[in-house]
Amino acid sequence: MQMYLPFCGIAISNAQLFAASRKEYDRSRALLEVVNDLFEEQTDLEKIVKKIMHRAQTLLKCERCSVLLLEDIESPVVKFTKSFELLSPKCSADTDNSFKDSVEKSSSYSDWLVNNSIAELVASTGLPVNISDAYQDPRFDAEADQISGFHIRSVLCVPIWNSNHQIIGVAQVLNRLDGKPFDDADQRLFEAFVIFCGLGINNTIMYDQVKKSWAKQSVALDVLSYHATCSKAEVDKFKAANIPLVSELGIDDIHFDDFSLDVDAMITAALRMFMELGMVQKFKIDYETLCRWLLTVRKNYRMVLYHNWRHAFNVCQLMFAMLTTAGFQEILTEIEILALIVGCLCHDLDHRGTNNAFQAKSGSALAQLYGTSATLEHHHFNHAVMILQSEGHNIFANLSSKDYSDLMQLLKQSILATDLTLYFERRTEFFELVSKGGYDWNIKNHREIFRSMLMTACDLGAVTKPWEISRQATELVTSEFFEQGDRERSELKLTPSAIFDRNRKDELPRLQLEWIDSICMPLYECLVKLNVKLKPMLDSVAVNRGKWEELHQKRLPSQAASSSSFSSSFTVSLKDIN
C-alpha cells in the first residue's frame, strides 16, 4: 500500500491539474466567444447583453443572471432605467411561476430580480459585492426575498464600466446550481465577462446615437428643403386686407363646403376665426405676427394630394363650427380653445403623403428619430414648434410663462390626438363615460379625453359633409393612399393592404362602409349624446353611409355576401391607415 498509494496520489494530482486546466480553457474560450459576439452584434442592445449573460450563466452555472443600466451616468443619484434577466432552464417551472405571481402583486419582475439595495451599492461605490449567505448579510433585503417563490442563497454583483471608466450599470448572478457560494475564481471570471458586456453596451449605445444623429440631420435637411417663411409683401397684403365676416365666409356652418375657398381666402378665413373667438384680443397676439405665422404654416404643408394646407384649414373650420354651434366655447377655457385651433392648423405640418406604418416599414429617418409610435404626429408638433420659434412667428409671445407652458402642453396633446392609435386607446373610456352619464367637465382627465375626441372628429370631418363634398375628399385621400401603395409595392416589395391597393379600387364602397361603421359612426353618435346640437353631423354620416351602401350593392353584388368575412381583415388593416 505504501508503494502503491504515491502512484495514486500522482494520478489524482494529474487529474486535478487536468480538470483545472480544462476549466480555465473553457473559460478562456467563453471569453473569446464573447468577443466574437461583440463583433457579430452591435446594433441591438438587448441581443448583445443577453448573449453575454447567457454565456456567463452557462459557465458560472447559476440560476439567474441580470443586468441593470443606469438612467443617467452623470447623476449622483442611482436610478436604473433598463433591465435584462435570464433564468436557468434548470430552475423549477413551479418556482418561476410562483415567483412571477407574487412579484406582480408587489413590484415589477425586473425591480425585484436585481436586489436594489445591493445593486445601488455596487453602482454607487464601483466595488463588487460577493455574498456567500444572503440572509446573514445586512445589505440584503430579506423581506423582498420572502414574499417571492424564489429563494436567494448567494449573490455576486459587479459594476459595468464604459470606455471612459464611468459606471453605466451593474451585472448580477444568483445561486450557483451546485449550492456552493461564488468563489474568487467565479468573481474574476464574471468581472472579465462584464468588461466585454460594458464594451458591447457602449458600442451599441454609440451606434444608436450615431443612427439618431443621422436621422435628425436627415430630417432637418429634408425640412429645410421645404421650410420657407413668407415674404414681407405677403404679410403686408393680408395685414391691410379687409377680413370678411363669419356669415360671409360661412365658416360657422358644420356643412361648410371644404372646396369653396382658394388658398388666400383660407388665410383670411383663419384670421377671422382667431378674431371671432377673441384670441387676438385675449392673448394680445400681434396681428402682423399672426398673418406671418399663418402664411408660413401654409408654406410648410407639402403639395400632397390630401394631407395638405386645405385639409388643415378644413379641420380647423370644423373645429370652429363645432365650438360655436354646440356652445363648447362656453365650456372650454380660452387656453384650451387656442390650443385646439392652432393644433388643427398644425396637425399635419410637413406631411409626406405616407402614414406612420410606411415610415416604420421603410425605416425612414422620421421613424428612426421619433420611433414607431405616433411618428408623424411627433414630427408635426416639433415642426409647429420650429415655426413658432422662428423670428417674427411667435404668436404666443405675450402669454405669461405659466400660460405659455400650459398652452404648449395642450398643443402637443391636440396634435398627438390625431394619431388613430391613440383614438382607439381612449375612445372606449370616453364612450363609457358619456353612455353612463359619468362625464364631468370639472375632471381634468375627462376634459383631456374630450379634446382628443374633438380633434379626431374634426380630422375625420369630411365624412360629415354633404355627399358630393364628402365623396370628393374620399377620392383625394384614396388617391394619396394608392400612391403610398404603389411605393410599398415598388420600393419595399410589399403587397399593400386593400385600402392602399389601386388594383382593388372597386372595393372602395365596401371599405368606406367598414371605415364609417368601425371608426366614424361610433364617435359622432357619442358626441351627439353629449351635445344634441351636433346631430346634423351624425345625420350626414348616415346619409353618406347610405350612398356608399348603394354603390356597394350596385358595383359589387357578387362580393356583398363576403362582407362579413372581409370585415375582420379590414379591421386589422385599420392599423395601417394611420
Side-chain angles (χ1 to χ4, degrees):
M1 288 293 289
Q2 286 178 340
M3 294 176 63
Y4 175 69
L5 289 178
F7 291 102
C8 292
I10 293 170
I12 291 169
S13 296
N14 287 342
Q16 288 175 332
L17 286 170
F18 178 79
S21 63
R22 181 69 190 183
K23 187 175 182 180
E24 287 302 316
Y25 170 78
D26 289 341
R27 293 186 171 195
S28 299
R29 183 176 178 181
L31 289 176
L32 289 173
E33 288 173 343
V34 169
V35 174
N36 185 57
D37 289 340
L38 287 177
F39 285 102
E40 281 186 354
E41 179 61 65
Q42 297 189 45
T43 61
D44 191 306
L45 181 63
E46 183 172 358
K47 283 183 180 178
I48 186 66
V49 172
K50 287 199 170 182
K51 273 187 176 182
I52 296 170
M53 287 166 56
H54 176 72
R55 295 196 184 280
Q57 186 187 53
T58 302
L59 203 59
L60 291 171
K61 295 181 173 57
C62 59
E63 294 184 2
R64 294 184 186 273
C65 182
S66 54
V67 169
L68 257 73
L69 301 184
L70 288 172
E71 184 177 86
D72 183 3
I73 62 175
E74 303 290 347
S75 174
V77 179
V78 174
K79 187 176 181 182
F80 299 111
T81 180
K82 284 187 178 180
S83 61
F84 306 92
E85 295 85 31
L86 205 60
L87 170 67
S88 168
K90 294 185 179 181
C91 287
S92 165
D94 293 336
T95 299
D96 189 45
N97 289 334
S98 63
F99 172 74
K100 289 183 178 179
D101 290 342
S102 60
V103 168
E104 283 172 2
K105 297 174 184 176
S106 54
S107 58
S108 73
Y109 182 71
S110 302
D111 288 342
W112 185 89
L113 185 56
V114 175
N115 186 265
N116 281 334
S117 59
I118 296 173
E120 288 175 6
L121 177 65
V122 172
S124 60
T125 64
L127 299 175
V129 169
N130 189 347
I131 301 175
S132 57
D133 188 344
Y135 274 77
Q136 298 302 315
D137 195 294
R139 297 168 295 184
F140 180 72
D141 184 2
E143 184 180 350
D145 186 61
Q146 289 166 357
I147 65 170
S148 72
F150 178 75
H151 179 65
I152 296 177
R153 300 186 305 275
S154 54
V155 180
L156 175 57
C157 188
V158 299
I160 303 172
W161 305 84
N162 66 10
S163 56
N164 296 322
H165 204 65
Q166 295 171 302
I167 296 176
I168 58 175
V170 297
Q172 182 174 265
V173 286
L174 304 175
N175 298 359
R176 274 179 47 161
L177 292 174
D178 58 8
K180 296 179 181 179
F182 296 102
D183 56 28
D184 291 341
D186 292 328
Q187 183 173 325
R188 288 195 300 273
L189 179 63
F190 194 42
E191 287 175 333
F193 265 92
V194 168
I195 290 173
F196 293 109
C197 188
L199 290 172
I201 292 169
N202 190 61
N203 290 346
T204 307
I205 290 174
M206 287 178 64
Y207 176 82
D208 188 57
Q209 289 173 344
V210 169
K211 197 165 69 169
K212 281 199 171 183
S213 296
W214 173 84
K216 184 178 285 188
Q217 183 183 32
S218 178
V219 170
L221 290 173
D222 195 24
V223 167
L224 284 173
S225 66
Y226 284 86
H227 179 63
T229 56
C230 55
S231 66
K232 186 177 183 302
E234 289 178 297
V235 176
D236 291 342
K237 170 186 170 184
F238 285 96
K239 184 180 176 182
N242 290 321
I243 308 300
L245 299 173
V246 169
S247 57
E248 297 175 74
L249 293 164
I251 53 176
D252 58 342
D253 185 0
I254 282 177
H255 292 147
F256 172 81
D257 184 349
D258 289 355
F259 304 96
S260 61
L261 302 179
D262 61 29
V263 289
D264 283 348
M266 285 188 277
I267 295 290
T268 57
L271 287 168
R272 172 53 64 189
M273 283 188 273
F274 273 88
M275 291 187 286
E276 194 68 22
L277 291 169
M279 300 293 101
V280 177
Q281 301 87 338
K282 168 63 181 175
F283 298 106
K284 299 177 183 177
I285 300 175
D286 180 75
Y287 191 71
E288 181 178 332
T289 301
L290 180 59
C291 293
R292 185 181 296 108
W293 176 79
L294 280 169
L295 287 164
T296 298
V297 166
R298 183 180 73 180
K299 281 180 178 286
N300 281 266
Y301 274 91
R302 301 193 182 198
M303 299 299 289
V304 295
L305 289 170
Y306 182 74
H307 292 97
N308 49 37
W309 162 245
R310 181 173 295 280
H311 167 67
F313 170 78
N314 290 333
V315 172
C316 184
Q317 179 277 322
L318 187 54
M319 178 65 75
F320 175 80
M322 291 178 73
L323 290 172
T324 54
T325 300
F328 295 138
Q329 189 178 357
E330 283 72 42
I331 296 171
L332 296 171
T333 67
E334 291 165 321
I335 287 279
E336 287 176 312
I337 293 171
L338 180 59
L340 289 171
I341 292 295
V342 173
C344 288
L345 290 170
C346 297
H347 83 282
D348 273 333
L349 271 170
D350 196 46
H351 200 290
R352 284 87 189 288
T354 51
N355 62 9
N356 286 334
F358 184 86
Q359 308 307 318
K361 291 174 189 174
S362 62
S364 70
L366 286 176
Q368 293 182 42
L369 182 59
Y370 298 110
T372 56
S373 176
T375 305
L376 287 170
E377 288 72 24
H378 279 102
H379 178 59
H380 302 325
F381 171 71
N382 286 343
H383 202 102
V385 173
M386 181 187 71
I387 293 174
L388 286 166
Q389 291 177 344
S390 301
E391 186 177 356
H393 289 77
N394 189 3
I395 57 175
F396 306 145
N398 292 320
L399 271 67
S400 68
S401 58
K402 183 184 184 306
D403 283 348
Y404 186 88
S405 176
D406 291 344
L407 178 59
M408 294 307 292
Q409 185 64 33
L410 291 170
L411 178 59
K412 185 174 185 178
Q413 289 174 1
S414 298
I415 293 176
L416 294 185
T418 58
D419 176 14
L420 276 183
T421 303
L422 183 62
Y423 163 68
F424 276 112
E425 288 175 0
R426 308 204 71 177
R427 73 172 191 171
T428 301
E429 182 181 359
F430 179 68
F431 292 171
E432 288 179 356
L433 284 171
V434 173
S435 63
K436 294 177 181 178
Y439 189 84
D440 188 342
W441 293 104
N442 295 316
I443 298 177
K444 182 180 177 182
N445 183 53
H446 291 192
R447 294 175 74 90
E448 184 182 332
I449 296 174
F450 172 69
R451 292 194 307 271
S452 295
M453 295 301 115
L454 270 188
M455 288 297 299
T456 302
C458 294
D459 196 19
L460 309 180
V463 75
T464 70
K465 299 302 176 74
W467 168 244
E468 291 303 326
I469 301 169
S470 181
R471 180 172 181 173
Q472 188 176 347
T474 301
E475 290 172 352
L476 286 172
V477 73
T478 301
S479 297
E480 187 177 287
F481 282 176
F482 285 165
E483 287 192 358
Q484 175 178 314
D486 293 342
R487 290 184 62 184
E488 289 180 3
R489 185 176 277 111
S490 62
E491 297 174 18
L492 306 181
K493 309 304 179 187
L494 298 172
T495 301
S497 55
I499 203 164
F500 295 93
D501 193 348
R502 68 173 69 252
N503 297 330
R504 300 171 69 178
K505 61 184 178 182
D506 289 340
E507 296 179 20
L508 179 60
R510 183 168 59 183
L511 293 171
Q512 284 301 306
L513 288 174
E514 290 288 346
W515 169 259
I516 291 171
D517 291 343
S518 302
I519 296 180
C520 304
M521 189 71 81
L523 174 59
Y524 296 111
E525 285 175 343
C526 189
L527 287 172
V528 169
K529 287 179 184 177
L530 193 63
N531 192 311
V532 73
K533 293 179 180 178
L534 298 177
K535 192 172 184 301
M537 298 177 73
L538 182 61
D539 293 341
S540 291
V541 176
V543 170
N544 291 333
R545 190 197 183 286
K547 294 287 187 180
W548 287 116
E549 180 68 39
E550 289 176 14
L551 289 175
H552 172 53
Q553 297 297 335
K554 180 179 178 181
R555 295 185 182 183
L556 303 170
S558 62
Q559 296 182 14
S562 63
S563 293
S564 59
S565 62
F566 177 80
S567 177
S568 60
S569 63
F570 177 70
T571 302
V572 173
S573 74
L574 290 177
K575 297 176 183 177
D576 274 346
I577 292 174
N578 194 39

